[in-house]
Amino acid sequence: MSDHSHTFTPPSPERLTHDLDRVSKISLAIGVIALISSAVGGYCDRVQALHSYLFAFMYFYTIMAGAFFWTILHHAVDANWSVIVRRQFENVANLMGVMAVGFIPLFIFREDIWKWTQPSELAHSVLLQEKHGYLNMPFFIVRLIFYFGFFTGAAYFYRKLSTAQDSDGSIVHSWRLRWWSPLSIIGFGLAITFSALDWLMALDYHWYSTMWGVYIFAGSAQSSMATCILIVFLLRKAGYLKPLSGEHAHIMGKLLFAFTVFWAYIAFSQYMLIWYANIPEETVFFIKRNNGSWTYLSVFLVAGHFIFPFIYLLTQAVKKSWASLSVIAVWILFMHGVDHFWIIAPVVRPDGFSMRWTDFTSFIGLAGILVYVFIRILGSAGLFPARDPRLNDCIKLTN
Amino acid sequence: MSILAKNSEGQSVEIYAIGAEFPSAAAVFEAAQKVRDQGFKWWDVYSSYPIHGMDAAMGLGKSWVSAISLAGAATGLTTAVLLQTIPSVFIYPMIVQGKPYFSLPAFFPIMFELTVLFTAFATVFGMFTVNLLPRLHHPIFNWERFCQKATDDGFFIVIEVADPRYSETDTPKLLESLGASNITLIPRD
Amino acid sequence: MATNFTPEVEAYAKAEMTRQPLVLHKRDLAWVTQKICGIVEEPTPTWWWIAFLITASLSVLTVGGVAYLISTGVGVWGLNHPVGWAWDITNFVFWIGIGHAGTLISAILYLTRQKWRTAVNRASEAMTLFAVVCAGIFPGVHVGRIWMVWFLAPVPQANAIWPNFRSPLLWDVFAVSTYFTVSVLFWYVGLVPDLATLRDRAKTKLRKWIYGLLSLGWRGGNRQWRHYEMAYMILAGISTPLVLSVHSVVSFDFATSVIPGWHTTIFPPYFVAGAIFGGFAMVLTILLPFRAIYHLEDIVTVKHVEVMCKIILLTGTIVGYAYLMELFIAWYGANPNERYAFYNRALGPYWWAYWSMMFCNVIAPQFFWFKALRTNIVIVWVIVQFPNIGMWFERFVIIVTSIHRDYLPSSWGMFHPSITDILTFVGTFGIFLTLFLLFVRFLPMIAIAEVKAVLPQADPHHHAEEETHVHSSQK
C-alpha cells in the first residue's frame, strides 16, 4: 500500500516465448485418438455415444459462449480491471469455430438425439405437430447458421480489433468495440437462449421452461470465468502477466462467487416453481433426475455446484490468491461437467446413474483438439492488450 | 499519571490528547505512516470520509465486524429452520396441497430472509458496539477547531497522552515535522 | 494490421473514451459540505410549503379510502368473482418494485465499485423506504378484517393454529418486512456520518441536540471508519441477494400457482429486472426536478443521468426478453389453456392494457439507444414516464387478465375498479411525495461523505500533476 509509485511505466508487450509446439501436437494426437475411440463406441451403441458427445460439446460450447459474454461485457461497461485478462476471454471465445465443425456429427445423427427430427415422430405426435412451427428442419438450420455465424463472427471481430490495437495503438479500436458491445449483448442473449432451447431443452420436446435459457447462461458465465482464472494462473506460473495482482484475482473471485450464487438462484427458482405447481408436463424433467440413483447426483449437484464453492469463496483471503482461486476454478469446471451430464445423460439412461467410456473419450477428444487450437491462438498475438488506453488504470487497480 | 496544562483562564486542566491538523488527504496519509512507524498505539486519524488505504497506513488489521455478522447469519438460519420445522412438522402438522410436512424447497425463502435479517441486525449493532457508539460526549469535542472542520474538510491526527510513546516535548515536534498546523492540547473535560 | 485513422476520427474516439469527472468544476470538500447541508439549513422555501400542502392533501385520499374500507367492508372495492385479487395487489407489487432501484444503487453498484452511485444513492434509498411504506398499506388492508392482520405473523393463535409456512403469501410477509428493516438499517448507517456533519454545523441548540442524538456521537476517526466500512460492505453484500429475493418472492405469489399466465419459471428474474426498470424510472422522475431546483448539476451530472438511462434501456430490454419468452413458451408448450391466456392478454378485452404495457416497457426505453436523447434532461424526464405507467400496467395485466376468464365461460367476468380503489391508489402518491419532501427538508439528500470520497483529491495518492495526463499510455 505504502509504495505506490507515481511515475508509472506501462508494461511492455508480452508474447508467448515458451515452445508449446510439442505439447500442442501431443494434445492433438490424444484428441484425435480419443475421438476415433468415440467413433468406435458409436459403432457399438450409437445413441449413447452421441449423447456422450453432446455432453462434451455442450460443456465446451457454454464455456466459449461465456467467454464471449465477458468480452462484450468488458466493453459495454467500459471496465478498467479486466483489460489485462481480456485477451484470454477473446482467445477462448475464438475457439467457437472449432465447435461449429464439431457440430457436424450431431447434425448428421440428429435423429438419434432429438426425437422431434424423426419424420415418423411428427406423423403420430399431435403435440409435435402443434410445435412444428418452431421444431422443423429448415428453421433449425437457419438457427444453427445464426448461432455459429454470430459467435464465430463476433468473437473474431472482437479479437481482431483488439490485436489491431496492439500494433497501431489507436484508441479508435476501443471506441468501436464499445460501440458494438450493446448490440452484441442482444445477439448473445438470443443465441445462448435459443441454442440452449434447441440442443438441451428439445432433448425431450414435451418439456419446457421459460427459465431454461437463463439457467444455461448462468452456468456458462460462471464456468468461463473459472476457465479464465485457470488460464491466467497457468500463464503467471510460466512467468507471464506479472502486472496482475491479488486485486485482480479478488475481482475475478468475486465475479465467480456472484455467478455461483446467481446459478443457485436460477436453479432453485426453476426447481421450486416446477416442484410446487406439480404440473405433469413440467415435472417430467425433475422426476427423471430425482428418482433412483440419479437422486444422488442431483443432491451432489446442489452441494458441489453451489454450497461448497459458496462457502469456499466467502472469505476475502481465498479470493486474493491466484493459487487458492484456481483450486476452486478447477472444482467449478468439474461441477459444470456434472451439471451438463445431469442435464443430458438421464435422457438416455433412465434406469439410473451410469457412465460410459464414450463420456470420457468424447470429452478428452474435444478437449485435446481445443487445447491444440488454443495454443495456436495464444501464440498468434500478445498475451494482453498492451496498448489499450485503460491498461494503466487496470494495473493500478485497488479494490 | 495525568498530564496537566494551563487553560486560557490560568486554571490547570487535565489533558486528553494532542491534536494536529493536516492540509490534505495525501499529507495526513504520509504523516499517519510516520506516526505508525514511531510505534504509537493510542492515536487516530480523523477525516470527513473514509480514506482509502488508511487502515494499512495506520497499521490496523482487517475489521472483525464480519465475524459478528457471521454469528448473526448462523443465528438467523437456525431460527428460521426451527421456526418453520417445529410448527409444520411437530406442533401443527397438516397436509396442504400435497406437500410433505418438511418441505425444504418451500422453507428456503424464509430461511434466506431470516438469515439476512439477523445478519443485518448483527452487523449494524455489532459495528456500533465495536465503535463504542452511541457516545454523545467525548473529550475530542473539546477541541473547537476539530468540531468545525472534522466532518467538513479537515484532516486531523490525534495522539492520546495515555500512549506510552507520548512525550510532552517530542510529540509536538514530531507532528510539526510532519507538516501539521494548529497543534493543540485537548483538555479531558 | 496497420490501420490509419484520420486525426478527426482519432480525436473523436479519444473524446468519447475520456472518463468524465464525477463532480464537475473541480469542487473541493468544503463546497460539497456547504452545497448539500445548505439545502437542509436554508429557511423553508415557499415552493416547499405549496408542494407539501398539495401532496399532504393528496395523501388524505388514501387515509380516507382505507378508513372507508375498514368501516364498511371489502365490498367498497371493485373486486368480484372471478377477479378476487386485483387492484390492491397490483398496487402492492407496483410500489414494492419502485423500491428496488434504491437498493440496486446502494448495494449492487457499491459492490461493483460504480462510484457514480454516490450522487444518487441517498435519495434513491429514501425512495425505497417510502415506496415500501406505500406498498405495505395494501396487503395490510386487503385482508378484510384488519383487526386480524396479526394472523400473518407466525405466532400461535386461538386453537393453536399456526400459519402455513409452505405458502408464498407468508414468505411475502417475511420478505417485505425483512426488506424494509434492512433498508432502514442500511440507510441509517449511511446517514450517520452526514448527520454528524449537520450536527457540527448546527446553529441552534435544538438542531444540535437532534442531529447530535441521531448521529450517535460519530467522530470520524479511522478506527471508526474501519469497522463502518466493513459493516457497510456486508450490508451491501446481503442487500444484493435480498433485493433479488424480495421481488422473486413476490413473483412466487403468482408463479407457484397453476393458473395459466401466472405459472412461469422465468418470473423471479423477470420481476426483479422489471422492478429495477420501474424503480430507476421513478428515481429519475423525482430526482431530476430536485436537481434543477437545488442546482445540483455539478454532483448529479448529465453523465449520471445518462448511465441511469442505460440501465433503464438494459432492464427494459431484459423485460422485453421475458415477455417474448413467456409468449414463445406459451405457444411452444402447446397447452391450450396457456395459449389462450396469452391470446386473451394480447387480443382479449384487456388488449389496451397489454399493448400499453408493451409500448411503455419495451418500445419506449429503446429511445435511450441515442445519446442525444439520453443527454437531454427534459426528454429523459418525458421518456421515463412511460416505464412508470408501463410497470403499473404490467402488474395489472399479469393479475387481472390471468384470472378474469376462468376455465369455464360461465365464470368469465371483467374487473372494474371502484372510485374508492382509484382514490386510494392516487393517495399513495401523496404519501410517497410527502415523505420525500420531508426527507429533502430535514436530511441530506445526497451522501456527503460518499461524494467526498470520490473526489480526486480524496485519494491519498492524488497529486495535482496526475490530472493532466490521465491517458499516459497514449503516445
Side-chain angles (χ1 to χ4, degrees):
Chain A
M1 279 288 172
S2 54
D3 55 359
H4 277 275
S5 88
H6 300 301
T7 52
F8 180 80
T9 44
S12 48
E14 270 177 6
R15 288 191 79 111
L16 197 68
T17 49
H18 286 67
D19 186 14
L20 294 177
D21 201 46
R22 247 176 76 94
V23 180
S24 73
K25 281 184 179 144
I26 292 170
S27 157
L28 180 67
I30 293 174
V32 170
I33 293 167
L35 279 187
I36 291 169
S37 4
S38 271
V40 174
Y43 187 73
C44 306
D45 190 340
R46 203 163 70 202
V47 171
Q48 291 294 345
L50 279 165
H51 280 80
S52 301
Y53 184 75
L54 179 70
F55 150 70
F57 179 89
M58 286 313 296
Y59 179 87
F60 292 110
Y61 169 81
T62 44
I63 288 177
M64 272 140 227
F68 179 73
F69 166 73
W70 289 111
T71 313
I72 53 176
L73 188 70
H74 163 90
H75 291 292
V77 302
D78 203 354
N80 280 345
W81 75 268
S82 46
V83 170
I84 199 162
V85 296
R86 197 186 73 218
R87 182 59 45 80
Q88 300 317 318
F89 285 122
E90 291 165 0
N91 289 344
V92 175
N94 265 278
L95 293 170
M96 202 53 111
V98 182
M99 302 317 287
V101 180
F103 196 81
I104 292 171
L106 294 173
F107 185 76
I108 294 171
F109 298 105
R110 57 189 178 272
E111 291 186 9
D112 295 315
I113 304 167
W114 298 290
K115 219 176 179 182
W116 66 265
T117 55
Q118 299 169 3
S120 59
E121 190 74 12
L122 181 64
H124 75 254
S125 166
V126 180
L127 196 65
L128 189 55
Q129 285 158 13
E130 285 288 319
K131 301 184 182 195
H132 191 63
Y134 181 79
L135 294 178
N136 62 66
M137 223 42 221
F139 193 24
F140 184 75
I141 293 168
V142 168
R143 293 196 301 268
L144 272 187
I145 294 168
F146 164 66
Y147 305 145
F148 288 115
F150 172 77
F151 274 128
T152 45
Y156 177 75
F157 170 77
Y158 275 89
R159 188 167 180 279
K160 189 182 153 198
L161 260 63
S162 178
T163 51
Q165 193 174 48
D166 286 359
S167 55
D168 65 13
S170 170
I171 199 168
V172 179
H173 299 299
S174 295
W175 173 72
R176 280 180 71 193
L177 289 169
R178 190 179 74 183
W179 198 92
W180 279 106
S181 57
L183 292 166
S184 310
I185 287 179
I186 291 178
F188 167 80
L190 292 174
I192 186 90
T193 305
F194 285 96
S195 59
L197 260 55
D198 276 351
W199 301 338
L200 295 176
M201 198 169 93
L203 282 171
D204 174 3
Y205 67 82
H206 297 89
W207 187 69
Y208 55 88
S209 167
T210 42
M211 187 79 110
W212 191 249
V214 188
Y215 177 77
I216 294 300
F217 160 71
S220 154
Q222 183 199 18
S223 55
S224 59
M225 184 49 82
T227 308
C228 189
I229 287 170
L230 211 58
I231 292 170
V232 170
F233 173 72
L234 294 174
L235 284 172
R236 280 174 58 83
K237 260 224 126 73
Y240 306 101
L241 297 181
K242 284 299 172 195
L244 278 176
S245 65
E247 299 291 312
H248 298 88
H250 192 189
I251 290 196
M252 296 180 92
K254 284 192 276 193
L255 288 169
L256 193 65
F257 180 75
F259 271 85
T260 303
V261 178
F262 183 68
W263 178 88
Y265 162 63
I266 297 297
F268 169 76
S269 301
Q270 179 170 264
Y271 172 73
M272 196 277 286
L273 290 176
I274 290 175
W275 168 83
Y276 203 106
N278 210 4
I279 299 173
E281 60 258 40
E282 285 186 354
T283 42
V284 60
F285 179 85
F286 286 108
I287 282 178
K288 267 188 200 138
R289 288 156 184 84
N290 285 358
N291 269 322
S293 48
W294 287 114
T295 317
Y296 302 108
L297 194 72
S298 298
V299 174
F300 179 65
L301 188 64
V302 175
H305 209 301
F306 169 60
I307 297 174
F308 172 63
F310 176 83
I311 294 168
Y312 185 95
L313 285 166
L314 210 49
T315 53
Q316 216 179 69
V318 169
K319 284 177 283 202
K320 282 192 167 176
S321 141
W322 287 104
S324 58
L325 201 56
S326 55
V327 170
I328 198 68
V330 171
W331 176 258
I332 282 174
L333 285 175
F334 168 67
M335 287 315 301
H336 181 58
V338 173
D339 188 15
H340 277 267
F341 186 78
W342 176 85
I343 293 168
I344 293 164
V347 177
V348 279
R349 295 164 205 174
D351 300 333
F353 175 82
S354 69
M355 291 201 72
R356 306 291 167 110
W357 57 272
T358 46
D359 297 344
F360 297 97
T361 54
S362 308
F363 188 87
I364 295 167
L366 273 181
I369 290 168
L370 289 167
V371 168
Y372 170 77
V373 180
F374 182 77
I375 289 173
R376 308 269 126 175
I377 295 177
L378 192 66
S380 71
L383 291 175
F384 60 87
R387 296 175 77 180
D388 189 287
R390 306 249 185 266
L391 186 63
N392 286 0
D393 293 333
C394 169
I395 290 165
K396 283 193 289 189
L397 172 85
T398 50
N399 267 300
Chain B
M1 185 194 76
S2 59
I3 292 167
L4 303 172
K6 299 266 190 253
N7 69 2
S8 52
E9 282 140 38
Q11 296 157 320
S12 124
V13 291
E14 197 186 325
I15 293 303
Y16 159 70
I18 183 165
E21 190 181 351
F22 291 84
S24 69
V28 82
F29 190 81
E30 273 165 41
Q33 291 173 330
K34 301 273 167 48
V35 174
R36 171 198 67 192
D37 295 342
Q38 293 278 322
F40 285 94
K41 292 277 171 276
W42 292 74
W43 64 291
D44 206 348
V45 176
Y46 293 86
S47 55
S48 57
Y49 62 90
I51 297 174
H52 201 86
M54 186 54 91
D55 294 353
M58 282 181 71
L60 303 174
K62 216 173 126 243
S63 165
W64 49 276
V65 168
S66 50
I68 307 174
S69 308
L70 193 65
T75 317
L77 185 63
T78 317
T79 309
V81 171
L82 296 178
L83 177 71
Q84 298 186 84
T85 312
I86 293 174
S88 306
V89 179
F90 301 106
I91 305 178
Y92 192 62
M94 199 140 89
I95 300 261
V96 183
Q97 221 208 357
K99 302 277 180 288
Y101 294 144
F102 185 77
S103 308
L104 194 58
F107 289 173
F108 190 77
I110 292 182
M111 279 158 61
F112 172 79
E113 299 300 338
L114 285 191
T115 306
V116 167
L117 184 67
F118 280 57
T119 313
F121 275 120
T123 308
V124 173
F125 293 109
M127 183 270 284
F128 284 138
T129 310
V130 174
N131 277 337
L132 300 175
L133 293 177
R135 177 175 179 180
L136 301 185
H137 288 284
H138 191 274
I140 203 168
F141 292 135
N142 294 332
W143 186 14
E144 207 176 315
R145 178 82 187 162
F146 178 88
C147 291
Q148 282 167 1
K149 298 281 278 181
T151 56
D152 182 6
D153 64 344
F155 299 94
F156 299 91
I157 287 183
V158 174
I159 301 173
E160 289 181 36
V161 296
D163 192 294
R165 299 271 316 175
Y166 177 81
S167 138
E168 258 177 277
T169 49
D170 296 345
T171 309
K173 274 187 201 149
L174 170 73
L175 289 169
E176 207 173 344
S177 73
L178 295 174
S181 57
N182 291 317
I183 297 171
T184 313
L185 289 175
I186 307 164
R188 186 171 285 284
D189 301 303
Chain C
M1 189 173 96
T3 37
N4 279 314
F5 298 103
T6 59
E8 294 82 55
V9 174
E10 285 276 352
Y12 178 76
K14 189 167 183 183
E16 284 285 305
M17 293 297 289
T18 304
R19 292 216 193 281
Q20 305 298 318
L22 291 168
V23 178
L24 299 180
H25 297 115
K26 300 207 163 115
R27 303 296 188 177
D28 60 8
L29 299 172
W31 181 87
V32 175
T33 315
Q34 176 55 38
K35 183 80 205 171
I36 300 166
C37 293
I39 298 172
V40 182
E41 289 161 353
E42 67 172 9
T44 310
T46 321
W47 69 261
W48 190 91
W49 279 115
I50 297 167
F52 183 77
L53 219 66
I54 295 170
T55 58
S57 342
L58 210 57
S59 59
V60 172
L61 291 177
T62 301
V63 178
V66 168
Y68 180 47
L69 171 86
I70 293 170
S71 59
T72 315
V74 187
V76 303
W77 279 357
L79 299 179
N80 58 31
H81 186 78
V83 189
W85 214 39
W87 196 262
D88 45 350
I89 286 308
T90 303
N91 298 336
F92 163 70
V93 182
F94 171 77
W95 276 116
I96 269 285
I98 296 294
H100 280 49
T103 319
L104 178 103
I105 293 172
S106 56
I108 300 179
L109 298 185
Y110 177 80
L111 293 182
T112 51
R113 302 291 184 269
Q114 297 296 302
K115 289 181 175 173
W116 61 270
R117 68 180 267 288
T118 56
V120 291
N121 71 338
R122 173 70 44 74
S124 318
E125 284 174 51
M127 284 183 223
T128 298
L129 300 179
F130 307 150
V132 178
V133 167
C134 293
I137 295 169
F138 292 97
V141 298
H142 96 306
V143 293
R145 299 182 176 89
I146 189 78
W147 48 94
M148 289 187 175
V149 76
W150 58 281
F151 270 41
L152 294 172
V155 285
Q157 293 149 357
N159 307 323
I161 294 170
W162 282 80
N164 175 17
F165 286 99
R166 282 153 282 176
S167 161
L169 299 180
L170 187 64
W171 309 343
D172 229 6
V173 175
F174 277 85
V176 173
S177 49
T178 300
Y179 185 45
F180 184 73
T181 314
V182 174
S183 298
V184 169
L185 289 172
F186 199 5
W187 191 58
Y188 179 63
V189 167
L191 268 169
V192 165
D194 294 357
L195 290 167
T197 306
L198 284 172
R199 168 199 70 197
D200 291 349
R201 290 167 57 93
K203 296 282 184 293
T204 67
K205 208 158 186 137
L206 181 69
R207 287 182 85 92
K208 193 159 203 90
W209 195 77
I210 292 172
Y211 287 123
L213 210 61
L214 287 174
S215 63
L216 307 175
W218 178 260
R219 298 190 296 280
N222 192 59
R223 284 170 201 273
Q224 288 186 334
W225 280 122
R226 178 168 75 113
H227 298 303
Y228 176 90
E229 282 201 289
M230 175 59 90
Y232 200 89
M233 196 197 73
I234 292 170
L235 286 172
I238 58 172
S239 297
T240 301
L242 177 65
V243 70
L244 261 72
S245 84
V246 174
H247 232 57
S248 298
V249 168
V250 170
S251 82
F252 292 161
D253 290 348
F254 308 106
T256 51
S257 71
V258 290
I259 293 171
W262 280 7
H263 177 67
T264 309
T265 48
I266 206 170
F267 255 28
Y270 149 42
F271 266 51
V272 173
I276 291 165
F277 171 68
F280 265 96
M282 187 61 91
V283 166
L284 282 173
T285 306
I286 308 281
L287 211 56
L288 290 180
F290 282 95
R291 173 182 183 266
I293 292 168
Y294 288 119
H295 302 290
L296 296 167
E297 289 86 356
D298 282 354
I299 298 174
V300 185
T301 67
V302 174
K303 182 81 196 163
H304 288 83
V305 177
E306 220 194 319
V307 173
M308 288 195 268
C309 290
K310 284 182 187 171
I311 292 180
I312 289 178
L313 172 61
L314 172 73
T315 46
T317 310
I318 293 177
V319 168
Y321 168 93
Y323 292 163
L324 211 83
M325 213 59 215
E326 267 191 328
L327 279 175
F328 172 68
I329 295 287
W331 172 83
Y332 178 91
N335 178 329
N337 295 311
E338 195 76 28
R339 280 187 178 182
Y340 177 74
F342 281 87
Y343 169 84
N344 182 45
R345 263 185 202 180
L347 302 169
Y350 287 106
W351 63 270
W352 47 272
Y354 183 81
W355 292 106
S356 306
M357 162 190 106
M358 271 291 179
F359 177 77
C360 293
N361 295 347
V362 185
I363 311 295
Q366 305 304 327
F367 288 113
F368 287 145
W369 281 100
F370 304 101
K371 192 178 174 139
L373 301 180
R374 288 198 302 261
T375 48
N376 184 322
I377 301 298
V378 177
I379 293 180
V380 166
W381 196 86
V382 172
I383 294 178
V384 295
Q385 300 316 307
F386 288 103
N388 283 335
I389 299 163
M391 285 314 290
W392 188 88
F393 271 115
E394 181 195 294
R395 280 66 178 248
F396 183 80
V397 164
I398 291 174
I399 294 165
V400 175
T401 67
S402 301
I403 50 178
H404 88 111
R405 290 201 166 163
D406 214 332
Y407 292 103
L408 294 173
S410 60
S411 12
W412 285 9
M414 289 291 284
F415 170 77
H416 302 286
S418 71
I419 191 76
T420 316
D421 272 325
I422 294 167
L423 293 182
T424 308
F425 175 59
V426 170
T428 52
F429 283 93
I431 295 176
F432 181 74
L433 292 170
T434 307
L435 290 169
F436 195 80
L437 283 168
L438 287 169
F439 155 73
V440 168
R441 201 67 217 99
F442 294 108
L443 292 170
M445 67 175 288
I446 287 171
I448 306 171
E450 292 187 52
V451 169
K452 284 178 184 169
V454 300
L455 291 173
Q457 62 266 39
D459 179 6
H461 309 297
H462 171 79
H463 288 260
E465 73 271 17
E466 264 185 29
E467 277 174 77
T468 49
H469 47 92
V470 181
H471 298 289
S472 51
S473 69
Q474 285 298 296
K475 302 231 168 59

